[in-house]
Amino acid sequence: MAMNFNAKEEVDGQLPGSSGVGGPGVVGAGVKSRKPDNTAFKQQRLPAWQPILTAGTVLPAFFVIGLIFIPIGIGIFVTSNNIREYEIDYTGAEPGSPCNNCLNVSWNSTPCHCTINFTLDQPFESNVFMYYGLSNFYQNHRRYVKSRDDSQLNGDNISLFNPSKECEPYRTSEEKPIAPCGAIANSMFNDTLSLFRIERDETKPIPLTKKGIAWWTDKNVKFRNPAGDTNNLTILFQGTARPVNWPKPVYMLDSDPENNGFINEDFIVWMRTAALPTFRKLYRLIERQDNLRPTLPAGNYSLEITYNYPVHSFHGRKRMILSTISWMGGKNPFLGIAYITVGSICFFLGVMLLIIHHKYGNRNNSADIPN
């Protein structure tokens, strides 16, 4: 009887010992019932569906996945292999390298110059993309990634002279705010690469396009120069200091006002940090001038390098990459290999399960099971 009495009081929303009239005994008066509403959702009466995995559904799925993925993987792999790519390592770590004399260059030293001659055995059709590549450079380090001020880079005048504390220790220099502040900007790649074609003992420079290499959203949305009564960046950035490792301030990155300051495309490309320690970033575009001739014909070329960027101290490597692209982007055989691998595994599992089902699937399952 005690159990029934307590249960009844609990349903009525009252605690044992309460009279429901008032006074000191009314401890649980007004407490609502905790019973969920009588709805399909709260009472878990919603319709549900659970697939039943049978041989008739699983086997066709494995074969279909295999027959779809394998051709796609082969197509992507063949397309990737058809992309022309040529790579030159100009770190200079080897004693016989033309850039070996520049190996120990530092941020504040005089720029070093070296030239590497190379030969293209096959022509490069269509537009050619010129990249610089770095190895053993961890742009994904947490402190490094956070060391920037996006408000300052977006042209906010207050952040220009009062950068975020995330930029420490590259926030101020000589009691002036650094623009742009932070470790990412301070370590910006600053080698200069020039390409020449050697034809009949004559060296002809290859025109390199430096605009159009950054993402449109970065160039037009995320990065902006400070606003003011004038368009003169020297005046707008007056009172700020250049990054410690930069030889010149941000408003002298380019003579073109549409590619100077925070909207300089070389700077924008560098500020988009890489996810892996070995990466490449777009440096220049080589646009096709004549539809009847390849952009870079087969022959002899020379790469002239103004060696400013030190990598030997952290055992890094530097590369120059020439590459064409296709409908799927740059050269990347991994995606095709991944499709082929997954498709092959699914097709193999389908064959194995089909054999097992054919051998054991017709056994009599109506035999009595002992208790």
Side-chain angles (χ1 to χ4, degrees):
M1 291 298 294
M3 292 179 62
N4 293 336
F5 176 79
N6 291 339
K8 184 177 184 301
E9 286 184 337
E10 204 170 359
V11 171
D12 292 338
Q14 299 179 356
L15 298 177
S18 62
S19 61
V21 179
V26 186
V27 179
V31 178
K32 295 183 179 179
S33 173
R34 294 185 179 181
K35 180 180 178 180
D37 296 335
N38 188 23
T39 62
F41 177 76
K42 292 187 176 182
Q43 296 296 336
Q44 300 184 11
R45 294 196 302 266
L46 291 174
W49 176 81
Q50 181 178 359
I52 300 175
L53 301 179
T54 62
T57 58
V58 174
L59 292 179
F62 274 115
F63 285 115
V64 168
I65 293 174
L67 293 176
I68 293 177
F69 274 42
I70 292 176
I72 293 177
I74 293 175
I76 294 176
F77 185 76
V78 171
T79 302
S80 177
N81 286 342
N82 288 335
I83 296 174
R84 296 273 185 264
E85 189 169 292
Y86 191 87
E87 182 175 312
I88 296 176
D89 189 314
Y90 69 93
T91 309
E94 296 76 15
S97 173
C99 296
N100 180 256
N101 61 321
C102 302
L103 184 61
N104 294 319
V105 70
S106 61
W107 289 105
N108 298 319
S109 63
T110 304
C112 184
H113 300 273
C114 59
T115 302
I116 297 178
N117 297 322
F118 63 97
T119 302
L120 293 180
D121 297 327
Q122 296 178 333
F124 280 62
E125 307 288 344
S126 186
N127 294 337
V128 179
F129 294 77
M130 187 177 185
Y131 300 87
Y132 62 85
L134 295 176
S135 298
N136 203 35
F137 193 107
Y138 288 84
Q139 274 198 316
N140 56 0
H141 191 280
R142 183 181 63 86
R143 289 282 304 277
Y144 183 88
V145 172
K146 293 176 61 179
S147 186
R148 61 188 293 164
D149 188 342
D150 288 322
S151 297
Q152 184 191 60
L153 298 175
N154 196 242
D156 182 65
N157 289 38
I158 298 177
S159 299
L160 179 65
F161 297 100
N162 186 24
S164 169
K165 294 183 180 179
E166 296 286 355
C167 290
E168 294 289 359
Y170 303 106
R171 183 171 177 262
T172 59
S173 176
E174 299 177 354
E175 298 182 355
K176 293 182 179 180
I178 294 178
C181 71
I184 307 176
N186 186 68
S187 61
M188 177 181 169
F189 181 84
N190 62 346
D191 281 357
T192 302
L193 307 176
S194 302
L195 198 61
F196 298 86
R197 186 184 180 198
I198 303 174
E199 188 176 8
R200 300 188 185 92
D201 297 330
E202 183 181 358
T203 302
K204 297 181 179 180
I206 296 176
L208 304 177
T209 304
K210 58 185 175 182
K211 297 181 69 174
I213 61 175
W215 289 21
W216 186 92
T217 52
D218 288 349
K219 175 75 174 180
N220 297 279
V221 179
K222 293 182 64 176
F223 291 81
R224 295 177 182 174
N225 284 323
D229 297 331
T230 178
N231 293 327
N232 191 331
L233 294 182
T234 305
I235 298 176
L236 293 175
F237 282 98
Q238 188 175 7
T240 64
R242 60 178 173 83
V244 178
N245 291 337
W246 285 26
K248 52 189 176 182
V250 67
Y251 52 83
M252 295 180 62
L253 291 178
D254 200 330
S255 57
D256 184 0
E258 298 296 326
N259 191 42
N260 200 11
F262 289 157
I263 60 173
N264 177 266
E265 297 202 27
D266 285 327
F267 171 68
I268 294 174
V269 169
W270 177 257
M271 292 299 292
R272 181 168 285 277
T273 54
L276 300 174
T278 298
F279 58 88
R280 64 176 63 178
K281 292 179 182 288
L282 186 58
Y283 181 69
R284 294 291 182 265
L285 298 175
I286 306 175
E287 298 178 341
R288 189 171 188 174
Q289 305 295 330
D290 187 357
N291 292 330
L292 301 178
R293 299 183 59 190
T295 307
L296 294 179
N300 298 322
Y301 294 83
S302 67
L303 175 66
E304 293 189 3
I305 305 156
T306 303
Y307 201 112
N308 299 310
Y309 202 74
V311 296
H312 183 61
S313 59
F314 57 87
H315 305 289
R317 308 285 299 189
K318 296 193 290 186
R319 309 180 312 280
M320 186 281 299
I321 304 106
L322 298 173
S323 176
T324 59
I325 63 171
S326 67
W327 59 268
M328 56 167 287
K331 193 178 185 67
N332 182 18
F334 173 78
L335 185 60
I337 294 173
Y339 267 96
I340 294 173
T341 303
V342 173
S344 301
I345 292 175
C346 290
F347 194 84
F348 175 76
L349 289 176
V351 172
M352 294 299 298
L353 292 176
L354 180 62
I355 295 173
I356 294 173
H357 176 67
H358 179 74
K359 187 175 181 180
Y360 300 105
N362 296 326
R363 296 178 61 182
N364 187 9
N365 295 325
S366 63
D368 293 336
I369 300 176
N371 293 327

